Amino acid sequence: MNNPITAVWEITMGCNMRCKHCGSSCENALEGELTTKEALNLCGDLGKLGFKWITLSGGEPTTRKDWHLIAKELNKNGIIPNIITNGWLINEEIADMAVEAGINTIAISVDGLLETHDYIRKKGSFKRIMNAFDILKNKKISYSAITTINNINLKELPVLRDILIEKGVKGWQLQLALPMGNMAKISDLVAAPHHVDEIIDFSYKTVKEGSKINIQLADCIGYYNAKEMEVRKKSLGHEYSWTGCGAGKYNLGILHNGDILGCTSVRDRKFIEGNIRKRSVVDIWNDPESFTWNRNLTKNKLDGVCKKCVFGNQCLGGCANTRLTMNKDVFSENQYCSYNVAVTKAKRQLEKIDDFDTLIEKAKKFCENDNFQLAQIVLSKAIEKEPDDLELLKFYGFISFMLENYEDAKTVNGKVLKKAPDDAYANKGMGLSLWKLKDVEEGIKFLERAISLSDENFTDPYFDLAVLLSQNNRKEEALKVLNEGRKKYKSFVEKSDDFYNYLINNVS
């Protein structure tokens, strides 16, 4: 179910700045810009879809004369409008228009201290932004800051934070400058993957110090770093962990000419799903063939560390635009991921180990500590040394299953079964892998085979088959399997008691 929640609408490509990191390379308003009438009609359709928030962006949205009319129309259709601006044009009149139009938050881009910011954007810009904050402070409107981080301004964040607090800024979004648009021509400014951890560490420290500013990490910064999750928890007011790019799932991007895509950061035209002049945004959003690149994305379609990652099925590679921009492929791994950086660093160290016994010892230790990612790395190297070791392959199959790499688990269990078809553990592993790969009936056959090969010391197949059947709404069959195991093996009675009692109480 794809539930539309938020969108970014680039209402114009016209801009009064020539920012060095501009992903859209904005200059003058482009031909084909939606007319006021078309824009207002679009507001109605967005309301029909049930969007909650829409951010007006550009270019510089305030260079479009009807920006406030669009914001007002969004409000009329039950959508909360926000606006992102470079702040150059913010004066009393613009601020009053924003209040009257019902703008919820005005976010102003601030990309470093005075010298750095003006170098990136426009001379005199920093002082005008500081003045804009003073103007907004006296209005009944929320305002915030956005900083696009690069190699230059990364070290300026602490001082910039204090300046923003002094100006009354309550919310501060941090995001990465990616090599797209103008930034693609200035590669020296692009931050390195390990800088993600520096941003997270700074944010975490700010939170722990009880700072008066609420740091909001953009979708391109993460993932599954304990400090990052703590920062997001503080920002959102509840527990949070990344669950994949929202493009086309709950996010939408609208370009100046009515082109529709999952995210405005994705500039590649092959990701445009349609144009509102040819088909309504309602039809585009509800079309099952729209946004399939992301709506149908699964872990096994990704590459590199992401394909094997323990968080892969939830994360799905992090920010799609980061993958596309850095590697020219939306299905590539995300090297700008804190977890990826940590795993890659550990992998470089572990690959220096050459002794077979040490590799096995470390794999077992990692496994005991539930660090299956590192266990997989050392086991892979051990298997290169002993590719026909069946116990090693079964261990690798277990690790792969725990990492939710079900295709790998299926493959390695298949190798074991070719040489040892009566191996109960491999039959169990194959059955569970097939189940997770949606081949339920074949999975049942292998688990039943595992049961026929089980003994007092290995009763797991009974429990696993019962779980499979229960989760496929076959609770009576699941109870029958448990009863069979409990009658045959005394050791299985205590092991299965909780699940057995659950089934007894839930079988109709």
Side-chain angles (χ1 to χ4, degrees):
M1 179 67 179
N2 301 302
N3 181 30
I5 298 175
T6 183
V8 175
W9 182 355
E10 294 183 346
I11 59 174
T12 181
M13 286 294 95
C15 190
N16 48 9
M17 290 190 184
R18 301 293 181 265
C19 303
K20 288 179 171 58
H21 65 248
C22 181
S24 308
S25 297
C26 296
E27 292 186 359
N28 301 312
L30 300 178
E31 281 188 35
E33 197 172 274
L34 294 179
T35 65
T36 299
K37 182 179 180 180
E38 288 173 323
L40 299 183
N41 287 339
L42 176 55
C43 293
D45 283 343
L46 293 168
K48 291 175 185 175
L49 282 170
F51 278 95
K52 295 181 180 180
W53 300 279
I54 289 183
T55 298
L56 302 182
S57 177
E60 170 50 43
T62 59
T63 63
R64 178 165 170 150
K65 294 180 180 179
D66 60 358
W67 66 269
H68 59 297
L69 299 179
I70 296 172
K72 189 180 293 186
E73 191 67 18
L74 288 171
N75 252 317
K76 287 181 181 178
N77 284 278
I79 301 171
I80 299 171
N82 299 309
I83 191 166
I84 297 176
T85 171
N86 59 36
W88 185 269
L89 296 177
I90 297 292
N91 54 23
E92 294 283 346
E93 181 184 1
I94 291 287
D96 288 337
M97 289 169 67
V99 172
E100 199 271 334
I103 293 289
N104 179 62
T105 299
I106 296 179
I108 303 181
S109 298
V110 189
D111 294 316
L113 302 179
L114 189 151
E115 184 177 340
T116 300
H117 176 90
D118 284 4
Y119 164 72
I120 291 171
R121 288 185 171 266
K122 187 175 182 179
K123 188 173 181 179
S125 173
F126 187 85
K127 289 183 177 179
R128 290 185 75 135
I129 286 174
M130 295 302 112
N131 183 59
F133 284 141
D134 290 337
I135 292 171
L136 295 173
K137 196 171 185 178
N138 296 320
K139 303 294 179 180
K140 294 180 180 179
I141 192 166
S142 172
Y143 59 98
S144 63
I146 298 177
T147 298
T148 302
I149 298 171
N150 55 53
N151 265 334
I152 297 177
N153 63 18
L154 180 58
K155 302 300 182 183
E156 298 179 353
L157 294 180
V159 177
L160 181 57
R161 173 197 57 204
D162 295 342
I163 292 172
L164 294 177
I165 291 173
E166 184 182 341
K167 288 295 179 180
V169 175
K170 304 298 184 184
W172 185 21
Q173 178 173 302
L174 302 180
Q175 59 192 33
L176 283 173
L178 297 172
M180 53 189 290
N182 292 346
M183 193 70 161
K185 305 167 189 173
I186 318 174
S187 58
D188 289 347
L189 279 179
V190 179
H194 69 268
H195 288 144
V196 170
D197 282 340
E198 289 188 37
I199 297 167
I200 291 172
D201 287 346
F202 163 75
S203 303
Y204 180 77
K205 184 179 179 182
T206 298
V207 166
K208 286 303 177 182
E209 289 174 350
S211 177
K212 294 180 180 179
I213 197 165
N214 180 9
I215 292 185
Q216 299 138 7
L217 298 175
D219 289 351
C220 56
I221 297 177
Y223 309 88
Y224 300 94
N225 175 311
K227 291 180 179 179
E228 170 241 345
M229 293 167 76
E230 187 67 23
V231 173
R232 294 190 189 277
K233 177 182 177 181
K234 179 67 175 178
S235 173
L236 298 169
H238 57 77
E239 297 285 348
Y240 174 88
S241 63
W242 175 258
T243 54
C245 170
K249 294 179 178 179
Y250 56 85
N251 287 353
L252 187 71
I254 308 167
L255 301 187
H256 70 285
N257 63 348
D259 282 340
I260 300 296
L261 30 64
C263 172
T264 54
S265 295
V266 178
R267 311 309 297 187
D268 193 325
R269 294 195 63 80
K270 70 182 178 184
F271 293 98
I272 292 174
E273 306 292 342
N275 186 284
I276 66 160
R277 286 172 171 146
K278 297 179 179 178
R279 194 161 56 130
S280 76
V281 70
V282 176
D283 289 342
I284 294 172
W285 180 269
N286 291 327
D287 188 340
E289 297 302 314
S290 294
F291 314 103
T292 54
W293 64 273
N294 198 40
R295 287 179 177 178
N296 297 339
L297 181 61
T298 52
K299 172 182 174 179
N300 65 306
K301 293 179 182 178
L302 297 169
D303 198 2
V305 171
C306 293
K307 189 181 186 74
K308 304 286 186 180
C309 181
V310 65
F311 301 114
N313 283 322
Q314 295 78 40
C315 179
L316 295 174
C319 172
N321 186 53
T322 302
R323 303 195 307 270
L324 179 63
T325 303
M326 300 309 301
N327 304 311
K328 311 304 179 189
D329 182 358
V330 76
F331 300 116
S332 65
E333 72 173 322
N334 190 341
Q335 295 157 323
Y336 281 74
C337 160
S338 180
Y339 186 73
N340 187 316
V341 170
V343 169
T344 301
K345 183 178 179 180
K347 184 177 181 181
R348 283 197 293 266
Q349 295 299 317
L350 293 171
E351 285 179 343
K352 295 177 182 177
I353 301 171
D354 202 49
D355 180 70
F356 180 80
D357 291 336
T358 303
L359 290 170
I360 300 303
E361 182 183 343
K362 283 196 172 292
K364 290 179 179 178
K365 194 69 176 178
F366 286 139
C367 190
E368 288 172 5
N369 295 322
D370 293 338
N371 197 332
F372 303 113
Q373 201 81 61
L374 298 186
Q376 186 264 336
I377 291 171
V378 291
L379 271 182
S380 295
K381 189 165 185 181
I383 288 173
E384 288 177 7
K385 293 178 175 293
E386 297 289 344
D388 297 321
D389 187 321
L390 297 188
E391 292 304 313
L392 195 57
L393 289 173
K394 286 191 287 184
F395 190 11
Y396 189 84
F398 168 74
I399 295 298
S400 296
F401 187 86
M402 296 306 292
L403 287 171
E404 300 182 5
N405 297 329
Y406 302 125
E407 282 288 354
D408 286 355
K410 173 186 171 184
T411 299
V412 75
N413 280 302
K415 287 181 180 179
V416 174
L417 291 174
K418 278 186 178 181
K419 295 185 178 182
D422 291 338
D423 190 296
Y425 190 88
N427 274 281
K428 184 197 87 151
M430 178 63 86
L432 291 175
S433 300
L434 289 168
W435 167 36
K436 292 297 185 179
L437 292 169
K438 310 300 183 186
D439 195 348
V440 176
E441 294 306 317
E442 279 300 303
I444 290 173
K445 290 178 184 178
F446 277 94
L447 284 169
E448 288 175 340
R449 172 76 171 154
I451 285 174
S452 71
L453 297 167
S454 65
D455 56 33
E456 184 75 37
N457 298 315
F458 186 61
T459 58
D460 289 358
Y462 286 99
F463 194 91
D464 291 329
L465 179 56
V467 170
L468 183 160
L469 292 167
S470 175
Q471 291 191 12
N472 282 275
N473 297 314
R474 295 161 67 171
K475 288 185 172 62
E476 288 186 4
E477 293 176 65
L479 188 58
K480 183 178 179 181
V481 169
L482 286 187
N483 272 321
E484 180 186 332
R486 288 164 68 90
K487 287 178 182 177
K488 193 170 183 179
Y489 302 114
K490 289 183 179 180
S491 62
F492 186 62
V493 175
E494 184 178 353
K495 181 179 180 179
S496 62
D497 261 347
D498 289 343
F499 190 32
Y500 179 77
N501 291 327
Y502 163 77
L503 290 175
I504 287 287
N505 293 324
N506 286 277
V507 171
S508 55

